[in-house]
Amino acid sequence: MELQLLVNGEQRSVEADADTPLLWVLRESLALTGTKFGCGIAACGACTVHINGTAARSCSIPAAAVQGQAITTIEGLAGGAERHAVQQAWIEHQVPQCGYCQSGMIMAAASLLAKNSNPTDQDIDAEITNLCRCGTYERIRRAIHAAALNISRGDVEATRGEESKEARHG
Amino acid sequence: MGKWTRRAVITAGSLVGGGLALGVGGIAFAPNRIGILSKGDGKEAAQLTTWLKIAPDNMVTAIVPHCEMGQGVHTALTMMLAEELDADWNLVRMEEAPAEEIYANGYIARAFVPGLSDVPKFTERFVDWGTYRLTRLMDLQVTGGSSSVRGTGFLGMRVAGGAARTMLIEAAAKRWNVPVGECETKLSSVIHPGSSRSATYGELAADAAKLDPPVHPQLKSADKYTIVGKPIPRIDIPSKVDGSAKYGIDVAIPGMLYATVAAAPVFGAQLGSVDATPIANLPGVKKVVKLDNAVAVVADSYWRALKALRTLIPTFTETTQRKENSETLASTIGRALEGDESKKIFSSGDAAATIGGAAKAIEAEYRVPFLAHATMEPMNATARIANDRCEVWTGVQDPLAARKVAADASGLDADQVTLYNQQLGGGFGRRLPGAHDFVDQAVRIAKEMSPAPVKLIWSREEDIQHDYYRPAVIGRYKGAVDSKAAPIVWISKFNGAGGEAAHVPYAIAHQDIRAVKFGSHVRQGSWRSVEHSQHGFFTESFIDELAHAAGKEPYEFRRGLLEHAPRHRAVLEKAAWISGWGAAPAAGRARGIALVESFGSIVAEVAEVEIVDGRIKVHNVWAAVDCGYVVNPDTATAQIEGGIIFGLSAAVFNEITIQDGRVAQSNFNDFPLPKIADAPRIKVEFIQSNAALGGLGEPGVPPIAPAVANAVFALTGKRVRSLPLKV
C-alpha cells in the first residue's frame, strides 16, 4: 500500500506492506540508515526515533500506524542546526565506540531532555534503557548531564529547531 | 620456507601528481630492537605494505591495515605515524587499507613469538608455531588479539613515519645545500633555522620520493612526543553522532535484493526438505535458496524476506547431538577432567607430593558457560556475482580471510573477488577469521540471484543461535598453605587450551597446571579476551579462597606473593589506593579485588557491590592499568571502561545454554545485556611504566568477574563458583 509519512519535516510517499515496521521503511525505502536494526523486538533501542517528539522503537511500530505523525530520525535531529546539544555533548565526551547503538541512544537522550531539562542519574537510569555492547554507559551518563547544562545555559538552538520543524509540519 | 635475511624493505615511490608513497615490508622483531627484514627470493616486495602518502597539497594520508570497531585504532595508528613524521595533526587523514595481499599484516603475528611475548589467540588456528607457515600468515589482515597498536603501530606506523621524515629532511637539505643535521621538522614542514628557510612536506614530497629510504630510521623518545600520549579526539566519532557512519548493514547497491536465513538449529545438522509453495505467491518474494545447512529467502525487502522465511517449515537432518544439553556437556567435560589424558601447561616443584603434607589444603570447582558475542550490528554481508567477478561488502575483523571465504563460495579465484570492508557495529571476536559463515552464505545466495546484488541480514535470533561461542569451561583447583600461612601448592585442571591464560602470577613453589581436550558440536570461537575471560575468573577466585584459607586479607595476601613481579604489584597497589581499599565501604556494601595480565597489559580491578532485591548490584569499579605506554589516554580509558561492562555482562547477566542440542536463548529478552542502570561508576588510572606496549581492547575484561565474585564473598560469606553469579 502507499504510505504518507512525515519524516524530518518532509512529506514522503512510500510503497510498503501495511505491517512493515517503520524501521525498514526508513532504512530501505527512504535510505535513512542512521536508524539501526538491533533486535526486532523493541528490546535494544538501536532503532529509536522520535514520534511527535517522543522516543519510540521503530522496529515494532508499523509504518502505516504513524502516517501523518511527525517522525524524526537521527538525520533530522539537529533540525537544520549543525548539531543538536546531545550530539555536541556526545562528541565532547567521546561517547561512541563502535557507534552502532548511538543513533538510538542520542534519540532516547534527546527525548528525555525534551521532557526533563535537568534529569538526575535516577531519571537517566529509568528512561534510557537502550543497550550498548561496547559499554559506553559511563560516558552516556556524563554526556546527558553535559547536554542538559549546555541547554540550560542557552545553547538551545538545535532543540528549538527540531520542535519548530515538527510544529510547522505536524 | 626460504631463509629470512635482513635487508631493508622500506620502499618509497612517487605518487601520480608528484607526491611520496612510502611503505614498510616484513618487520623483524627482537626483544630490544626493531629491524626490517625481507625474504631473499624477492617475494617480500610483493608483501610491501604502503602506510603513508604525502600529496603536493601537504596532506598526509596514513593507510591503516586494521578495521575500526570502536576501539579507536584508526586514530591511534594514525597518531603514531604522524608523531614520527612530525606532521601537523590537522593535515593528516586516514584510509583503511583495501583487502589485498600487500596489506596482509600476518607478519605482526611473528612479532608475538612464544617465549618473547604472548601469542595472540586469533592466530592459533592459522599458525603452526613450530614451523612458521608463512603462507597462511600472509592470508591474514586481522584485527584482534589487542595487537594493532603494539604490532602494526609500534613496529610499522612509527617506522614509516620516521623514514618519511628522514627522507623529507634529506630532500630539503639537498635543495638548500645545507647539512642534514642543521634541518628540523615541525608541523609538516622542514625548517632550516640558520637561514630561516622552510618548505612544506608537500613541496618536498616529489624530491623525497627519489631518495633511498633509510634502513633504520631514527625514532623519537617519548619525551619528544606532541601527538602520542595526548587525548586526541577520535576521527570516527563525528560521523557516529549524526547517523552518517556507514556499517556493513547500511550498504546500498542499485538493484539490490534482500535475504535472510535460518540455519539448522542443532549444529552439524543439514537441511532436509523445505516446501516453498506457501510463500511462492507472496508479493516481493524472489526465491527460496537451499544451502547445505540452511534455508534462505530472497525478496525485495528485508521485511518481506523475514516474513516469508518465518512461514516456511524446513526440516533438518537428525543428529546424535540433538540429545546434548548443558548438563550432558558438563558431564562430558567432567569425565575428561577425571581421565588420564592431559596436557601440561606449567609445572614446578612437586605439587602432588607437597599437598599431602601441607598444613591446610582446599579444593574448588569453577564453571563458566558458553557466551554469545551479541554485537549490536547483527551479522550481514552484501554480495554481487556478475561478469566473472564477485564483490562483497561487509564488516569483518579480517577482510583478506573473508575474501578467501567469498572466493571459495563463489568458485572464483581470490583475485576475482573484491571485498569492501565496512565499519563494524561491534566485533569482539565474532567477525574474526574462521567465523565468516555469513559471508559464505551471502555469496552462495548471490550466486543464485546473479547478477543481482543481495544483502543478507541475520535476524537477532539467528545471531544469538548461530554464534561461535566463548567456550564453556570447568576448572578444578587444589591449593595448600604451609604452617606460616603462605601458599605452597597450586594445582589446576580444566578443559580447553588454557595456554598462558592459565599461568599464575603469584610466587607459589609447587604448581601443576594441566588442560584436557573437550570437543563439542557447539561452535566455539574467540570472545573478547579469549581464555583470559575464563581463567581470570578461576585464578583470581581461587587465590582469594587461598587467602581466606590462610586467614589473610586478600589484597595483602596477593601483594605478598608479587615480590618478583614489581609491575604486577604496582598495579595491584594502585587499584587498592584509588579504591580506598583500606577504608570500609558504605553499609551493606563490600569490595573485591582481582589482578590479571593479558595481551601484554596488567590490570587490577576493585568492584564494590551490594545485594539489592536478591540481585548483585555493582556500584563502583576502580581499574589500574599498566600497558607500558598509553598512546591515546582517552581512547585507552574508554577501552577499559567498555571492557569492564563487557566482562560484567558475563559476570552477572547472561549465559548461553544448550537444550536438545541447540541454543536455548534467542534475543535480548533471554540473553540480557547490562543497561545504563546496571552500569557501575568506573574510574581508570594508568601506570606509565614504559615497558613493552601491551594491548587495551581486551585486558579490561578478565578481572571484573572475579572482582565481583570476591566482593560477593566478602559481603555474604558465600563463594559463588559459576558464572553468571547468582546469590
Side-chain angles (χ1 to χ4, degrees):
Chain A
M1 64 184 284
E2 188 172 308
L3 304 175
Q4 300 297 330
L5 297 173
L6 176 57
V7 182
N8 297 332
E10 284 180 41
Q11 277 292 345
R12 308 289 296 262
S13 174
V14 298
E15 193 58 42
D17 296 345
D19 61 351
T20 310
L22 176 61
L23 168 67
W24 297 106
V25 170
L26 293 171
R27 288 184 53 81
E28 293 179 0
S29 305
L30 299 176
L32 293 168
T33 54
T35 304
K36 301 300 192 216
F37 165 54
C39 68
I41 59 168
C44 78
C47 65
T48 304
V49 298
H50 291 179
I51 298 188
N52 300 327
T54 299
R57 295 188 174 177
S58 65
C59 75
S60 300
I61 299 169
V66 291
Q67 294 187 89
Q69 302 188 47
I71 300 159
T72 307
T73 70
I74 186 71
E75 290 90 346
L77 178 65
E82 195 189 355
R83 288 191 187 109
H84 186 281
V86 171
Q87 293 170 312
Q88 191 56 42
W90 245 242
I91 291 178
E92 281 162 14
H93 289 268
Q94 295 281 293
V95 174
Q97 288 188 27
C98 90
Y100 192 80
C101 73
Q102 299 294 345
S103 295
M105 285 287 183
I106 289 166
M107 296 306 283
S111 174
L112 167 63
L113 290 175
K115 286 188 289 184
N116 177 351
S117 61
N118 189 19
T120 62
D121 282 346
Q122 289 71 28
D123 295 336
I124 293 170
D125 285 354
E127 291 292 322
I128 306 295
T129 56
N130 297 31
L131 302 179
C132 171
R133 189 56 161 152
C134 299
T136 62
Y137 295 125
E138 179 86 342
R139 286 165 189 245
I140 290 170
R141 201 182 272 139
R142 283 206 296 269
I144 291 174
H145 286 306
L149 194 63
N150 287 341
I151 291 170
S152 72
R153 279 176 180 163
D155 179 21
V156 293
E157 288 306 311
T159 25
R160 243 190 233 139
E162 188 198 359
E163 281 162 9
S164 64
K165 213 164 193 183
E166 280 169 5
R168 202 163 56 238
H169 294 280
Chain B
M1 59 170 273
K3 190 169 184 278
W4 287 80
T5 55
R6 249 166 230 286
R7 178 162 68 84
V9 289
I10 297 178
T11 302
S14 297
L15 281 177
V16 176
L20 167 70
L22 185 137
V24 181
I27 303 294
F29 178 84
N32 299 313
R33 68 187 288 272
I34 299 164
I36 310 294
L37 57 69
S38 168
K39 207 174 177 189
D41 61 11
K43 274 189 183 163
E44 185 63 20
Q47 304 292 352
L48 184 77
T49 298
T50 306
W51 276 328
L52 166 62
K53 291 189 285 193
I54 301 174
D57 66 358
N58 208 23
M59 281 304 292
V60 173
T61 304
I63 299 167
V64 175
H66 289 285
C67 70
E68 180 61 57
M69 45 188 175
Q71 80 282 40
V73 71
H74 281 177
T75 307
L77 292 192
T78 305
M79 286 168 68
M80 294 174 92
L81 184 142
E83 179 68 65
E84 293 298 342
L85 184 59
D86 259 349
D88 180 343
W89 182 247
N90 297 312
L91 300 176
V92 179
R93 50 187 212 97
M94 188 284 314
E95 271 176 25
E96 184 173 327
E100 291 169 10
E101 281 85 353
I102 60 164
Y103 294 104
N105 57 26
Y107 54 82
I108 292 168
R110 285 204 311 272
F112 298 89
V113 181
L116 289 180
S117 184
D118 137 13
V119 184
K121 290 306 297 183
F122 60 84
T123 58
E124 251 194 7
R125 58 168 86 88
F126 300 94
V127 181
D128 174 345
W129 287 104
T131 56
Y132 282 122
R133 286 166 53 200
L134 182 70
T135 51
R136 302 301 302 277
L137 282 175
M138 289 307 177
D139 284 343
L140 288 170
Q141 188 179 326
V142 75
T143 305
S146 299
S147 67
S148 305
V149 165
R150 57 194 177 128
T152 306
F154 191 74
L155 305 173
M157 305 303 286
R158 294 193 317 154
V159 178
R165 177 176 164 274
T166 303
M167 293 162 73
L168 290 159
I169 289 177
E170 199 182 326
K174 270 192 181 159
R175 186 180 291 184
W176 299 329
N177 198 22
V178 298
V180 162
E182 291 181 7
C183 295
E184 299 168 4
T185 52
K186 194 177 180 183
L187 295 171
S188 293
S189 287
V190 181
I191 300 156
H192 183 245
S195 62
S196 300
R197 277 179 288 193
S198 75
T200 68
Y201 287 174
E203 290 162 356
L204 295 164
D207 286 358
K210 294 171 192 150
L211 301 173
D212 290 331
V215 179
H216 292 293
Q218 181 100 37
L219 299 178
K220 288 182 184 177
S221 56
D223 60 317
K224 301 282 196 303
Y225 288 168
T226 60
I227 299 170
V228 167
K230 304 288 184 290
I232 301 279
R234 268 181 30 224
I235 52 188
D236 55 322
I237 280 185
S239 71
K240 290 177 174 176
V241 305
D242 63 8
S244 63
K246 292 283 182 261
Y247 301 82
I249 203 168
D250 301 326
V251 165
I253 310 297
M256 185 170 75
L257 299 171
Y258 297 84
T260 194
V261 69
V266 180
F267 301 108
Q270 301 292 300
L271 180 65
S273 63
V274 58
D275 176 10
T277 48
I279 65 166
N281 295 318
L282 289 179
V285 172
K286 305 289 183 190
K287 191 164 188 172
V288 173
V289 177
K290 294 179 188 174
L291 302 172
D292 286 347
N293 68 341
V295 59
V297 173
V298 183
D300 62 357
S301 79
Y302 172 74
W303 181 246
R304 283 175 163 175
L306 182 69
K307 273 196 300 181
L309 182 73
R310 287 182 172 166
T311 307
L312 296 177
I313 308 169
T315 63
F316 295 95
T317 57
E318 277 296 321
T319 70
T320 54
Q321 279 89 22
R322 219 168 86 86
K323 298 194 184 78
E324 297 282 8
N325 55 49
S326 289
E327 292 71 33
T328 61
L329 293 170
S331 301
T332 309
I333 297 172
R335 281 194 298 278
L337 290 172
E338 277 144 29
D340 296 329
E341 292 272 307
S342 67
K343 181 185 162 198
K344 185 177 84 180
I345 303 293
F346 179 78
S347 74
S348 64
D350 190 342
T354 312
I355 196 164
K360 188 169 187 184
I362 60 169
E363 54 182 89
E365 180 184 287
Y366 300 94
R367 293 183 177 209
V368 295
F370 293 112
L371 288 174
H373 297 81
T375 63
M376 289 309 297
E377 180 192 16
M379 297 303 110
N380 66 85
T382 301
R384 173 165 63 193
I385 296 181
N387 306 322
D388 288 333
R389 290 205 59 80
C390 173
E391 294 167 285
V392 178
W393 296 260
T394 188
V396 286
Q397 289 174 252
D398 186 341
L400 266 185
R403 191 181 71 157
K404 180 73 165 53
V405 168
D408 291 346
S410 64
L412 297 168
D413 293 334
D415 60 10
Q416 293 170 285
V417 179
T418 307
L419 191 135
Y420 307 97
N421 203 29
Q422 309 294 312
Q423 262 184 125
L424 281 64
F428 316 119
R430 177 59 183 90
R431 291 175 158 107
L432 277 172
H436 293 155
D437 52 346
F438 51 98
V439 175
D440 176 83
Q441 291 173 345
V443 170
R444 289 180 195 280
I445 295 165
K447 208 171 165 183
E448 298 280 324
M449 307 309 292
S450 174
V454 181
K455 183 195 282 186
L456 169 67
I457 304 173
W458 283 19
S459 65
R460 175 59 64 189
E461 290 77 9
E462 193 70 9
D463 182 73
I464 295 287
Q465 302 206 322
H466 296 89
D467 202 339
Y468 291 79
Y469 301 90
R470 191 282 297 270
V473 178
I474 299 176
R476 290 183 180 165
Y477 286 73
K478 292 178 187 172
V481 294
D482 64 14
S483 55
K484 293 174 195 138
I488 49 168
V489 179
W490 181 280
I491 298 171
S492 68
K493 202 172 179 188
F494 43 82
N495 61 292
E500 60 109 42
H503 286 245
V504 181
Y506 305 107
I508 299 173
H510 303 279
Q511 298 189 27
D512 183 27
I513 298 173
R514 292 180 173 275
V516 301
K517 279 189 184 157
F518 163 68
S520 91
H521 73 297
V522 180
R523 307 197 305 191
Q524 300 178 39
S526 298
W527 187 93
R528 192 175 185 179
S529 81
V530 204
E531 268 114 12
H532 294 281
S533 80
Q534 301 110 342
H535 285 277
F537 173 62
F538 296 167
T539 300
E540 284 298 300
S541 292
F542 195 61
I543 197 73
D544 222 63
E545 296 209 45
L546 272 176
H548 290 285
K552 295 279 189 68
E553 197 283 325
Y555 159 68
E556 291 294 348
F557 185 73
R558 285 176 174 82
R559 190 173 167 276
L561 301 173
L562 292 169
E563 291 274 343
H564 64 289
R567 286 179 67 207
H568 290 75
R569 195 165 71 166
V571 169
L572 188 77
E573 287 170 347
K574 181 108 176 171
W577 173 254
I578 62 176
S579 65
W581 181 264
R589 298 185 185 184
R591 298 191 194 114
I593 194 165
L595 169 74
V596 180
E597 178 186 356
S598 64
F599 306 95
S601 292
I602 304 162
V603 181
E605 291 170 10
V606 172
E608 184 175 283
V609 309
E610 184 182 7
I611 308 299
V612 179
D613 300 331
R615 294 184 58 199
I616 297 165
K617 167 77 184 167
V618 183
H619 287 285
N620 291 291
V621 176
W622 296 267
V625 182
D626 179 356
C627 59
Y629 186 86
V630 180
V631 171
N632 186 328
D634 191 56
T635 306
T637 302
Q639 283 304 296
I640 298 298
E641 291 168 352
I644 287 167
I645 300 294
F646 201 87
L648 199 59
S649 74
V652 182
F653 287 87
N654 55 45
E655 63 182 318
I656 289 292
T657 58
I658 306 299
Q659 277 172 16
D660 301 328
R662 59 182 289 177
V663 169
Q665 292 72 24
S666 65
N667 204 320
F668 294 125
N669 56 331
D670 49 17
F671 190 78
L673 302 182
K675 297 184 167 84
I676 199 165
D678 306 309
R681 300 300 189 276
I682 298 171
K683 183 170 177 55
V684 182
E685 288 206 13
F686 290 89
I687 293 175
Q688 298 269 23
S689 68
N690 292 320
L693 281 184
L696 281 169
E698 296 166 279
V701 178
I704 189 64
V708 172
N710 295 336
V712 167
F713 176 78
L715 187 63
T716 66
K718 186 181 167 198
R719 177 63 63 179
V720 187
R721 298 191 180 91
S722 65
L723 299 184
L725 301 166
K726 293 189 179 82
V727 290

